[in-house]
Coordinates of all heavy atoms in Angstrom, one line a residue:
M58 N 0.9 -1.2 0.0 CA 0.0 0.0 0.0 C 0.9 1.2 0.0 O 1.8 1.4 0.9 CB -0.9 0.0 1.2 CG -1.8 1.2 1.3 SD -2.9 1.2 2.8 CE -4.0 -0.1 2.4
T59 N 0.7 2.1 -0.9 CA 1.5 3.3 -1.0 C 0.8 4.4 -0.1 O -0.3 4.2 0.4 CB 1.5 3.9 -2.4 OG1 0.2 4.3 -2.8 CG2 2.0 2.9 -3.4
L60 N 1.5 5.5 0.1 CA 1.0 6.5 1.0 C -0.2 7.1 0.4 O -1.2 7.4 1.1 CB 2.1 7.6 1.1 CG 1.7 8.8 1.9 CD1 1.4 8.4 3.4 CD2 2.8 9.9 1.9
W61 N -0.3 7.3 -0.9 CA -1.5 7.9 -1.5 C -2.7 7.0 -1.5 O -3.8 7.4 -1.3 CB -1.2 8.3 -3.0 CG -0.4 9.6 -3.0 CD1 0.9 9.7 -3.4 CD2 -0.8 10.9 -2.6 NE1 1.3 11.0 -3.3 CE2 0.3 11.7 -2.8 CE3 -2.0 11.4 -2.1 CZ2 0.2 13.1 -2.5 CZ3 -2.0 12.7 -1.9 CH2 -0.9 13.6 -2.1
T62 N -2.4 5.7 -1.5 CA -3.5 4.7 -1.4 C -4.1 4.8 0.0 O -5.3 4.8 0.2 CB -3.0 3.3 -1.7 OG1 -2.4 3.3 -3.0 CG2 -4.2 2.3 -1.6
A63 N -3.2 4.9 1.0 CA -3.6 5.1 2.4 C -4.4 6.4 2.6 O -5.4 6.4 3.3 CB -2.4 5.0 3.3
V64 N -3.9 7.4 2.0 CA -4.6 8.7 2.2 C -6.0 8.7 1.5 O -7.0 9.1 2.1 CB -3.8 9.9 1.5 CG1 -4.6 11.1 1.4 CG2 -2.5 10.1 2.4
L65 N -6.1 8.1 0.3 CA -7.4 7.9 -0.3 C -8.3 7.0 0.5 O -9.5 7.3 0.6 CB -7.2 7.4 -1.8 CG -6.6 8.4 -2.7 CD1 -6.3 7.8 -4.1 CD2 -7.5 9.6 -2.9
L66 N -7.8 5.9 1.0 CA -8.6 5.0 1.8 C -9.1 5.7 3.0 O -10.3 5.6 3.4 CB -7.8 3.8 2.1 CG -8.6 2.7 2.9 CD1 -9.7 2.2 2.1 CD2 -7.6 1.6 3.3
A67 N -8.2 6.4 3.7 CA -8.7 7.2 4.9 C -9.7 8.2 4.6 O -10.7 8.4 5.3 CB -7.4 7.8 5.6
S68 N -9.6 8.9 3.4 CA -10.6 9.9 3.0 C -11.9 9.2 2.8 O -13.0 9.8 3.2 CB -10.1 10.6 1.7 OG -8.9 11.2 1.9
V69 N -11.9 8.1 2.1 CA -13.2 7.4 1.8 C -13.8 7.0 3.2 O -15.1 7.1 3.4 CB -13.0 6.2 0.9 CG1 -14.2 5.3 0.8 CG2 -12.6 6.7 -0.5
I70 N -13.0 6.5 4.1 CA -13.6 6.0 5.4 C -14.1 7.2 6.1 O -15.2 7.2 6.8 CB -12.5 5.3 6.2 CG1 -12.1 4.0 5.6 CG2 -12.9 5.2 7.7 CD1 -10.9 3.3 6.2
C71 N -13.4 8.4 6.1 CA -13.9 9.6 6.8 C -15.3 10.0 6.2 O -16.2 10.4 6.9 CB -12.9 10.7 6.7 SG -11.5 10.4 7.7
V72 N -15.4 10.0 4.9 CA -16.6 10.4 4.2 C -17.7 9.5 4.6 O -18.9 9.8 4.9 CB -16.5 10.5 2.7 CG1 -17.8 10.7 2.0 CG2 -15.5 11.7 2.4
A73 N -17.4 8.2 4.6 CA -18.4 7.1 5.0 C -18.9 7.3 6.4 O -20.1 7.2 6.7 CB -17.9 5.7 4.8
L74 N -17.9 7.6 7.3 CA -18.3 7.8 8.7 C -19.2 9.1 8.9 O -20.2 9.1 9.6 CB -17.1 8.0 9.6 CG -16.3 6.7 9.9 CD1 -15.0 7.0 10.6 CD2 -17.2 5.8 10.8
K75 N -18.9 10.1 8.1 CA -19.7 11.3 8.2 C -21.1 11.0 7.6 O -22.1 11.5 8.2 CB -19.0 12.4 7.4 CG -19.7 13.8 7.6 CD -18.8 14.9 7.1 CE -19.5 16.2 7.4 NZ -19.3 16.7 8.7
A76 N -21.2 10.3 6.6 CA -22.5 9.9 6.0 C -23.3 9.1 7.0 O -24.5 9.3 7.2 CB -22.3 9.2 4.7
V77 N -22.6 8.1 7.7 CA -23.3 7.3 8.7 C -23.8 8.2 9.8 O -24.9 8.0 10.4 CB -22.4 6.2 9.2 CG1 -23.0 5.5 10.4 CG2 -22.2 5.2 8.1
G78 N -23.1 9.2 10.2 CA -23.5 10.1 11.2 C -24.8 10.8 10.9 O -25.6 11.0 11.8
Y79 N -25.1 11.1 9.7 CA -26.4 11.7 9.3 C -27.5 10.7 9.4 O -28.7 11.1 9.5 CB -26.3 12.3 7.9 CG -25.5 13.6 7.8 CD1 -24.3 13.6 7.1 CD2 -25.9 14.7 8.5 CE1 -23.5 14.8 7.1 CE2 -25.2 15.9 8.4 CZ -24.0 15.9 7.7 OH -23.3 17.1 7.7
L80 N -27.2 9.4 9.3 CA -28.2 8.4 9.4 C -28.6 8.0 10.8 O -29.6 7.4 11.0 CB -27.8 7.2 8.6 CG -27.5 7.4 7.1 CD1 -27.0 6.2 6.5 CD2 -28.7 7.9 6.4
L81 N -27.8 8.4 11.8 CA -28.2 8.1 13.1 C -29.4 8.8 13.6 O -29.6 10.0 13.3 CB -27.0 8.4 14.1 CG -25.8 7.5 13.9 CD1 -24.6 8.0 14.8 CD2 -26.1 6.1 14.2
P82 N -30.2 8.2 14.4 CA -31.4 8.9 14.9 C -31.0 10.1 15.9 O -30.0 10.0 16.6 CB -32.2 7.9 15.7 CG -31.3 6.6 15.7 CD -30.2 6.8 14.8
T83 N -31.7 11.1 15.8 CA -31.3 12.3 16.6 C -31.4 12.0 18.1 O -30.5 12.5 18.9 CB -32.3 13.4 16.3 OG1 -32.4 13.7 14.9 CG2 -31.9 14.7 17.0
S84 N -32.3 11.2 18.5 CA -32.4 10.8 20.0 C -31.1 10.2 20.5 O -30.7 10.4 21.6 CB -33.6 10.0 20.2 OG -33.4 8.7 19.5
W85 N -30.4 9.4 19.6 CA -29.2 8.7 20.0 C -28.0 9.7 20.2 O -27.2 9.7 21.1 CB -28.8 7.6 19.0 CG -27.7 6.8 19.6 CD1 -27.8 5.7 20.4 CD2 -26.3 7.0 19.3 NE1 -26.6 5.2 20.6 CE2 -25.6 6.0 20.0 CE3 -25.5 7.9 18.6 CZ2 -24.2 5.9 20.0 CZ3 -24.2 7.8 18.6 CH2 -23.5 6.8 19.3
V86 N -28.0 10.7 19.2 CA -26.9 11.6 19.3 C -27.1 12.6 20.4 O -26.1 13.1 21.0 CB -26.8 12.4 17.9 CG1 -25.8 13.5 17.9 CG2 -26.6 11.4 16.8
E87 N -28.3 13.0 20.7 CA -28.5 14.0 21.8 C -28.6 13.4 23.2 O -28.8 14.2 24.1 CB -29.8 14.8 21.4 CG -29.7 15.6 20.2 CD -30.9 16.3 19.9 OE1 -32.0 16.1 20.5 OE2 -30.9 17.2 19.0
A88 N -28.4 12.1 23.3 CA -28.4 11.5 24.6 C -27.2 12.0 25.4 O -26.2 12.4 24.8 CB -28.3 10.0 24.5
P89 N -27.2 12.1 26.7 CA -26.2 12.7 27.5 C -24.8 12.1 27.2 O -23.8 12.8 27.1 CB -26.6 12.6 28.9 CG -28.1 12.3 28.9 CD -28.4 11.7 27.6
R90 N -24.7 10.8 27.2 CA -23.4 10.1 27.1 C -22.7 10.4 25.8 O -21.6 10.8 25.7 CB -23.5 8.6 27.4 CG -22.2 8.0 27.3 CD -22.2 6.6 27.8 NE -22.4 6.6 29.2 CZ -22.4 5.5 30.0 NH1 -22.2 4.3 29.4 NH2 -22.5 5.6 31.3
P91 N -23.4 10.2 24.6 CA -22.7 10.5 23.3 C -22.4 11.9 23.2 O -21.3 12.3 22.6 CB -23.8 10.1 22.3 CG -24.6 9.1 22.9 CD -24.7 9.5 24.4
A92 N -23.2 12.8 23.7 CA -22.9 14.3 23.6 C -21.7 14.6 24.4 O -20.8 15.3 24.0 CB -24.1 15.1 24.1
R93 N -21.6 14.0 25.6 CA -20.4 14.2 26.5 C -19.1 13.7 25.8 O -18.0 14.3 25.8 CB -20.6 13.6 27.9 CG -19.4 13.8 28.8 CD -19.8 14.5 30.0 NE -18.8 14.5 31.0 CZ -18.0 15.6 31.2 NH1 -18.2 16.7 30.5 NH2 -17.0 15.5 32.1
I94 N -19.2 12.5 25.2 CA -18.1 11.8 24.6 C -17.7 12.7 23.4 O -16.5 12.9 23.2 CB -18.5 10.4 24.1 CG1 -18.6 9.5 25.3 CG2 -17.4 9.9 23.1 CD1 -19.1 8.1 25.0
A95 N -18.6 13.2 22.6 CA -18.2 14.1 21.5 C -17.5 15.3 22.0 O -16.5 15.8 21.4 CB -19.5 14.4 20.7
D96 N -18.0 15.9 23.1 CA -17.3 17.1 23.6 C -15.9 16.8 24.0 O -15.0 17.5 23.7 CB -18.1 17.7 24.8 CG -19.4 18.3 24.3 OD1 -19.6 18.6 23.1 OD2 -20.3 18.5 25.2
L97 N -15.7 15.7 24.8 CA -14.4 15.4 25.3 C -13.5 14.9 24.2 O -12.3 15.1 24.3 CB -14.5 14.3 26.4 CG -15.3 14.8 27.7 CD1 -15.4 13.7 28.7 CD2 -14.5 16.0 28.3
L98 N -14.0 14.2 23.2 CA -13.2 13.7 22.1 C -12.6 14.9 21.4 O -11.4 14.8 21.0 CB -14.0 12.8 21.2 CG -13.3 12.1 20.2 CD1 -12.3 11.1 20.8 CD2 -14.2 11.3 19.3
T99 N -13.3 15.9 21.2 CA -12.8 17.1 20.5 C -11.6 17.7 21.2 O -10.6 18.0 20.7 CB -13.9 18.1 20.3 OG1 -15.0 17.5 19.6 CG2 -13.4 19.3 19.5
V100 N -11.8 17.9 22.5 CA -10.7 18.4 23.4 C -9.5 17.5 23.4 O -8.4 18.0 23.2 CB -11.2 18.7 24.8 CG1 -10.1 19.1 25.7 CG2 -12.3 19.7 24.8
A101 N -9.7 16.2 23.5 CA -8.6 15.3 23.5 C -7.9 15.3 22.2 O -6.6 15.3 22.2 CB -9.1 13.9 23.8
L102 N -8.6 15.4 21.1 CA -7.9 15.4 19.8 C -7.1 16.7 19.6 O -6.0 16.6 19.1 CB -8.9 15.2 18.6 CG -9.5 13.8 18.5 CD1 -10.6 13.8 17.5 CD2 -8.4 12.8 18.1
L103 N -7.7 17.8 20.0 CA -6.9 19.0 19.8 C -5.7 19.1 20.8 O -4.7 19.6 20.4 CB -7.8 20.2 20.1 CG -8.8 20.5 19.0 CD1 -9.8 21.6 19.5 CD2 -8.1 21.0 17.8
S104 N -5.9 18.5 22.0 CA -4.7 18.5 22.9 C -3.6 17.6 22.3 O -2.4 17.9 22.4 CB -5.2 17.9 24.2 OG -6.2 18.7 24.8
A105 N -4.0 16.5 21.8 CA -3.0 15.6 21.2 C -2.3 16.2 20.0 O -1.1 16.1 19.8 CB -3.6 14.3 20.7
L106 N -3.0 17.0 19.2 CA -2.4 17.7 18.1 C -1.4 18.7 18.6 O -0.3 18.9 18.1 CB -3.5 18.4 17.2 CG -3.0 19.2 16.1 CD1 -2.3 18.3 15.0 CD2 -4.1 19.9 15.4
V107 N -1.8 19.5 19.6 CA -0.9 20.5 20.2 C 0.4 19.8 20.8 O 1.5 20.3 20.6 CB -1.6 21.3 21.2 CG1 -0.6 22.2 22.0 CG2 -2.6 22.2 20.6
A108 N 0.2 18.7 21.5 CA 1.3 18.0 22.1 C 2.3 17.5 21.0 O 3.5 17.6 21.1 CB 0.8 16.9 23.0
V109 N 1.7 16.9 20.0 CA 2.6 16.4 18.9 C 3.3 17.5 18.2 O 4.5 17.4 17.9 CB 1.7 15.5 17.9 CG1 2.5 15.2 16.6 CG2 1.3 14.3 18.6
Q110 N 2.6 18.6 17.9 CA 3.3 19.7 17.2 C 4.3 20.4 18.1 O 5.2 21.0 17.6 CB 2.2 20.7 16.7 CG 1.4 20.1 15.6 CD 2.2 19.7 14.4 OE1 3.1 20.4 13.9 NE2 1.9 18.5 13.8
T111 N 4.1 20.4 19.4 CA 5.0 21.1 20.3 C 6.2 20.2 20.6 O 7.4 20.7 20.7 CB 4.3 21.5 21.6 OG1 3.2 22.3 21.3 CG2 5.2 22.2 22.5
L112 N 6.0 19.0 20.9 CA 7.1 18.1 21.4 C 7.7 17.2 20.3 O 8.7 16.6 20.6 CB 6.6 17.3 22.6 CG 6.2 18.1 23.8 CD1 5.6 17.2 24.8 CD2 7.3 18.9 24.4
G113 N 7.1 17.1 19.2 CA 7.5 16.1 18.2 C 8.6 16.6 17.3 O 8.6 17.8 16.9
A114 N 9.6 15.8 17.1 CA 10.7 16.1 16.2 C 11.0 14.8 15.4 O 11.8 14.0 15.9 CB 11.9 16.6 16.9
G115 N 10.3 14.5 14.4 CA 10.4 13.2 13.7 C 9.8 12.2 14.6 O 8.6 12.3 15.0
Q116 N 10.6 11.2 14.9 CA 10.1 10.1 15.8 C 10.5 10.3 17.2 O 10.2 9.5 18.1 CB 10.7 8.7 15.3 CG 10.2 8.4 13.9 CD 8.8 8.0 13.9 OE1 8.2 7.4 14.8 NE2 8.1 8.5 12.8
A117 N 11.2 11.4 17.5 CA 11.6 11.6 18.9 C 10.9 12.8 19.6 O 10.1 13.5 18.9 CB 13.1 12.0 18.8
I118 N 11.1 12.9 20.9 CA 10.5 14.0 21.6 C 11.6 15.0 21.8 O 12.7 14.7 22.3 CB 9.9 13.5 23.0 CG1 8.8 12.5 22.7 CG2 9.5 14.7 23.9 CD1 8.2 11.9 24.0
A119 N 11.3 16.3 21.5 CA 12.2 17.3 21.7 C 11.6 18.5 22.5 O 10.6 18.9 22.2 CB 12.7 17.9 20.3
V120 N 12.4 18.9 23.5 CA 11.9 20.0 24.3 C 12.8 21.2 23.9 O 14.0 21.2 24.2 CB 12.1 19.7 25.8 CG1 11.7 20.9 26.7 CG2 11.3 18.5 26.2
D121 N 12.2 22.1 23.2 CA 13.0 23.3 22.7 C 12.1 24.5 22.9 O 11.3 24.6 23.8 CB 13.3 23.0 21.2 CG 12.1 22.8 20.4 OD1 11.0 23.0 20.8 OD2 12.3 22.4 19.2
A122 N 12.4 25.5 22.1 CA 11.7 26.8 22.3 C 10.2 26.8 22.1 O 9.5 27.7 22.5 CB 12.3 27.8 21.3
R123 N 9.7 25.7 21.5 CA 8.2 25.7 21.3 C 7.5 25.5 22.6 O 6.3 25.9 22.7 CB 7.9 24.5 20.4 CG 8.5 24.7 18.9 CD 8.2 23.6 18.1 NE 9.0 22.5 18.5 CZ 9.0 21.3 17.9 NH1 8.2 21.0 17.0 NH2 9.8 20.3 18.4
V124 N 8.1 24.9 23.6 CA 7.4 24.6 24.9 C 7.2 25.9 25.6 O 6.0 26.2 26.0 CB 8.2 23.6 25.7 CG1 7.5 23.4 27.1 CG2 8.3 22.3 25.0
P125 N 8.2 26.8 25.8 CA 7.9 28.1 26.5 C 6.9 28.9 25.6 O 6.1 29.6 26.2 CB 9.2 28.8 26.6 CG 10.2 27.7 26.5 CD 9.6 26.6 25.7
A126 N 7.0 28.8 24.3 CA 6.1 29.6 23.5 C 4.6 29.1 23.7 O 3.7 29.9 23.7 CB 6.5 29.4 22.0
L127 N 4.5 27.8 23.9 CA 3.2 27.2 24.2 C 2.6 27.7 25.5 O 1.4 28.1 25.6 CB 3.2 25.7 24.1 CG 1.9 25.0 24.4 CD1 0.9 25.3 23.4 CD2 2.1 23.5 24.6
F128 N 3.5 27.8 26.5 CA 3.1 28.3 27.8 C 2.6 29.8 27.7 O 1.7 30.2 28.3 CB 4.1 28.1 28.9 CG 4.3 26.7 29.3 CD1 5.5 26.1 29.2 CD2 3.2 26.0 29.8 CE1 5.6 24.7 29.6 CE2 3.3 24.7 30.3 CZ 4.5 24.1 30.2
V129 N 3.4 30.6 26.9 CA 3.0 32.0 26.7 C 1.7 32.1 26.0 O 0.8 32.8 26.4 CB 4.1 32.7 25.9 CG1 3.6 34.1 25.4 CG2 5.4 32.9 26.8
A130 N 1.5 31.2 25.0 CA 0.2 31.2 24.3 C -0.9 30.8 25.2 O -2.0 31.4 25.2 CB 0.3 30.3 23.1
A131 N -0.7 29.8 26.0 CA -1.8 29.3 26.9 C -2.1 30.4 27.9 O -3.3 30.6 28.2 CB -1.3 28.1 27.6
G132 N -1.1 31.1 28.5 CA -1.4 32.2 29.4 C -2.2 33.3 28.8 O -3.1 33.8 29.4
L133 N -1.8 33.7 27.6 CA -2.6 34.7 26.9 C -4.0 34.3 26.5 O -4.9 35.1 26.6 CB -1.8 35.2 25.6 CG -0.5 35.9 25.9 CD1 0.2 36.2 24.6 CD2 -0.8 37.3 26.6
L134 N -4.1 33.0 26.2 CA -5.5 32.5 25.9 C -6.3 32.5 27.2 O -7.6 32.8 27.1 CB -5.4 31.1 25.3 CG -5.0 31.1 23.9 CD1 -4.8 29.6 23.4 CD2 -6.0 31.8 23.0
M135 N -5.7 32.3 28.3 CA -6.5 32.3 29.6 C -7.0 33.7 29.9 O -8.0 33.8 30.6 CB -5.6 31.7 30.7 CG -5.4 30.2 30.6 SD -4.3 29.6 31.9 CE -5.2 30.0 33.4
I136 N -6.2 34.7 29.6 CA -6.7 36.1 29.8 C -7.5 36.6 28.7 O -7.8 37.8 28.6 CB -5.6 37.0 30.2 CG1 -4.6 37.1 29.1 CG2 -4.9 36.6 31.5 CD1 -3.5 38.2 29.3
R137 N -7.8 35.7 27.7 CA -8.7 36.0 26.6 C -8.1 37.1 25.7 O -8.8 38.1 25.2 CB -10.1 36.4 27.0 CG -10.8 35.3 27.7 CD -12.2 35.6 28.0 NE -12.8 34.6 28.8 CZ -13.5 33.5 28.2 NH1 -13.6 33.5 26.9 NH2 -14.0 32.6 29.0
A138 N -6.8 37.0 25.4 CA -6.2 37.9 24.5 C -6.6 37.6 23.0 O -7.0 36.4 22.8 CB -4.6 37.8 24.6
P139 N -6.6 38.5 22.1 CA -6.9 38.3 20.7 C -6.0 37.2 20.1 O -4.8 37.1 20.5 CB -6.7 39.6 20.0 CG -6.8 40.6 21.1 CD -6.3 40.0 22.4
F140 N -6.5 36.4 19.2 CA -5.8 35.3 18.7 C -4.5 35.7 18.0 O -3.4 35.1 18.1 CB -6.6 34.5 17.7 CG -6.0 33.3 17.2 CD1 -5.8 32.2 18.0 CD2 -5.6 33.2 15.9 CE1 -5.1 31.0 17.5 CE2 -4.9 32.1 15.4 CZ -4.7 31.0 16.2
L141 N -4.5 36.8 17.3 CA -3.3 37.3 16.6 C -2.2 37.7 17.6 O -1.0 37.5 17.3 CB -3.6 38.4 15.6 CG -4.4 38.1 14.4 CD1 -4.7 39.3 13.6 CD2 -3.7 37.0 13.6
V142 N -2.6 38.2 18.7 CA -1.7 38.6 19.7 C -1.1 37.3 20.3 O 0.1 37.3 20.6 CB -2.4 39.4 20.8 CG1 -1.5 39.7 22.0 CG2 -2.8 40.8 20.3
V143 N -1.9 36.3 20.5 CA -1.4 35.0 21.1 C -0.4 34.4 20.1 O 0.7 34.0 20.6 CB -2.6 34.1 21.3 CG1 -2.1 32.7 21.6 CG2 -3.5 34.6 22.4
V144 N -0.7 34.4 18.9 CA 0.2 33.8 17.9 C 1.5 34.6 17.8 O 2.6 34.0 17.8 CB -0.4 33.7 16.5 CG1 0.6 33.3 15.4 CG2 -1.6 32.7 16.6
A145 N 1.4 35.9 17.7 CA 2.6 36.8 17.6 C 3.5 36.7 18.9 O 4.7 36.6 18.8 CB 2.2 38.2 17.4
A146 N 2.8 36.7 20.1 CA 3.6 36.6 21.3 C 4.3 35.2 21.4 O 5.5 35.2 21.8 CB 2.7 36.8 22.5
A147 N 3.7 34.2 21.0 CA 4.3 32.8 21.0 C 5.5 32.8 20.1 O 6.6 32.3 20.4 CB 3.3 31.8 20.7
A148 N 5.3 33.3 18.9 CA 6.4 33.3 17.9 C 7.5 34.2 18.4 O 8.7 33.8 18.2 CB 5.8 33.8 16.6
V149 N 7.3 35.3 19.0 CA 8.3 36.2 19.5 C 9.1 35.5 20.6 O 10.3 35.6 20.7 CB 7.8 37.6 19.9 CG1 8.8 38.4 20.7 CG2 7.3 38.4 18.7
T150 N 8.3 34.8 21.5 CA 9.0 34.1 22.6 C 9.9 33.1 22.1 O 11.1 33.0 22.5 CB 7.9 33.5 23.5 OG1 7.0 34.5 24.0 CG2 8.5 32.7 24.6
A151 N 9.5 32.3 21.1 CA 10.3 31.2 20.6 C 11.5 31.8 19.8 O 12.7 31.3 20.0 CB 9.6 30.3 19.6
A152 N 11.3 32.9 19.1 CA 12.4 33.5 18.4 C 13.4 34.1 19.4 O 14.7 34.0 19.1 CB 11.9 34.6 17.5
L153 N 13.0 34.8 20.4 CA 13.9 35.4 21.4 C 14.7 34.3 22.1 O 15.9 34.5 22.4 CB 13.2 36.3 22.4 CG 12.6 37.6 21.8 CD1 11.8 38.3 22.8 CD2 13.7 38.4 21.2
L154 N 14.1 33.2 22.5 CA 14.8 32.1 23.1 C 15.8 31.5 22.2 O 16.9 31.2 22.7 CB 13.8 31.0 23.6 CG 12.9 31.4 24.8 CD1 11.9 30.4 25.1 CD2 13.8 31.7 26.0
R155 N 15.5 31.4 21.0 CA 16.5 30.8 20.0 C 17.6 31.8 19.8 O 18.8 31.4 19.6 CB 15.8 30.4 18.7 CG 14.9 29.2 18.9 CD 14.2 28.8 17.6 NE 13.5 27.6 17.8 CZ 12.4 27.3 17.2 NH1 11.8 28.1 16.4 NH2 11.7 26.1 17.5
L156 N 17.2 33.1 19.7 CA 18.3 34.1 19.5 C 19.2 34.2 20.7 O 20.4 34.4 20.5 CB 17.6 35.5 19.3 CG 18.5 36.7 19.0 CD1 19.2 36.5 17.7 CD2 17.7 38.0 19.0
A157 N 18.7 34.1 21.9 CA 19.5 34.1 23.0 C 20.3 32.8 23.2 O 21.2 32.7 24.1 CB 18.7 34.4 24.3
G158 N 20.0 31.8 22.5 CA 20.7 30.5 22.6 C 20.2 29.6 23.8 O 20.9 28.7 24.1
W159 N 19.1 30.0 24.4 CA 18.6 29.2 25.5 C 17.8 28.0 25.1 O 17.6 27.1 25.9 CB 17.7 30.1 26.4 CG 18.5 31.2 27.1 CD1 19.8 31.3 27.2 CD2 18.0 32.3 27.8 NE1 20.2 32.4 27.9 CE2 19.1 33.0 28.3 CE3 16.7 32.8 28.0 CZ2 18.9 34.2 29.0 CZ3 16.5 33.9 28.7 CH2 17.6 34.6 29.2
A160 N 17.4 28.0 23.9 CA 16.6 26.8 23.4 C 17.0 26.6 21.9 O 17.3 27.5 21.2 CB 15.1 27.0 23.6
A161 N 16.9 25.4 21.5 CA 17.1 25.1 20.1 C 16.0 25.4 19.2 O 14.9 25.6 19.6 CB 17.4 23.6 20.0

């Protein structure tokens, strides 16, 4: 199986899952347990994406300037700063740490 075959197969599976979702009865989807699972699953997937993008370096884990930048971004998000400010502050933090030689 080539990479493109896997991508196409995953795409077909995703479309099929989405189509099946429309066929489910509304009462099943709006039940408390599936609704809670859907809410928590979204947070878990986004957290995993952030962790992989922050700590991942190929197949290894790397702690570098991205970690303090993530903390800066999280702090700014907690005080409800505008998104562009959060992104810019995180980028500046990582750049300054790399410029100072404190992080790779």
Side-chain angles (χ1 to χ4, degrees):
M58 178 180 292
T59 65
L60 176 63
W61 284 109
T62 305
V64 168
L65 289 174
L66 182 63
S68 300
V69 169
I70 290 171
C71 287
V72 170
L74 284 173
K75 188 161 182 88
V77 168
Y79 286 114
L80 299 175
L81 290 175
T83 306
S84 61
W85 190 85
V86 176
E87 292 178 351
R90 182 172 287 186
R93 178 121 173 102
I94 289 171
D96 288 344
L97 294 176
L98 190 62
T99 304
V100 172
L102 289 173
L103 286 173
S104 300
L106 178 64
V107 168
V109 167
Q110 292 298 318
T111 302
L112 298 173
Q116 298 292 321
I118 294 175
V120 178
D121 55 13
R123 295 176 290 178
V124 175
L127 178 66
F128 286 123
V129 167
L133 289 173
L134 285 174
M135 287 178 60
I136 61 171
R137 299 186 182 270
F140 184 70
L141 290 178
V142 172
V143 171
V144 171
V149 167
T150 300
L153 289 176
L154 287 174
R155 288 180 177 149
L156 182 66
W159 292 347

